[in-house]
């Protein structure tokens, strides 16, 4: 499905770019701007951001891999 009409970007392209950014060696913060840059595009009107943000956060949640496992304590001692 096309999410960004200005750049003709699909949800699949956005998801893939978000996953790659999150798992890459630089592990950048996955923002709409970072995703657009990774795809070689620039946001234009921004009306797609209300759809883009949930899509990229599904693929690359901010706390992915940083929360303790269930039942694990974060206290040291």
């Amino acid at each position: 499905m096309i999410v960004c009409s200005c750049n003709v970007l699909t949800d699949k392209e956005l998801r893939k770019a978000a996953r790659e950014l999150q798992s890459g060696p630089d592990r950048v913060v996955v923002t709409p701007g970072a995703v657009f840059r990774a795809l070689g595009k620039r946001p234009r009107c921004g009306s797609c951001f209300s759809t883009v943000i949930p899509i990229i956060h599904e693929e690359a949640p901010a706390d992915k891999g940083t929360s303790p496992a269930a039942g694990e304590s974060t206290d040291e001692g």
Side-chain angles (χ1 to χ4, degrees):
M1 152 180 87
I2 293 178
V3 176
C4 175
S5 313
C6 297
N7 289 295
V8 192
L9 293 175
T10 65
D11 60 319
K12 289 180 183 180
E13 291 172 298
L14 295 167
R15 289 177 198 281
K16 182 179 180 208
R19 278 193 307 271
E20 289 172 356
L21 286 169
Q22 180 66 27
S23 64
D26 296 331
R27 291 194 48 114
V28 300
V29 174
V30 181
T31 63
V35 171
F36 275 71
R37 279 190 300 279
L39 294 168
K41 307 289 183 179
R42 289 181 64 181
R44 294 187 185 172
C45 75
S47 66
C48 62
F49 278 24
S50 63
T51 305
V52 169
I53 291 170
I55 288 172
I56 65 175
H57 285 240
E58 286 171 11
E59 293 304 316
D63 62 352
K64 188 176 187 175
T66 60
S67 61
E72 221 178 87
S73 174
T74 55
D75 295 332
E76 292 183 22

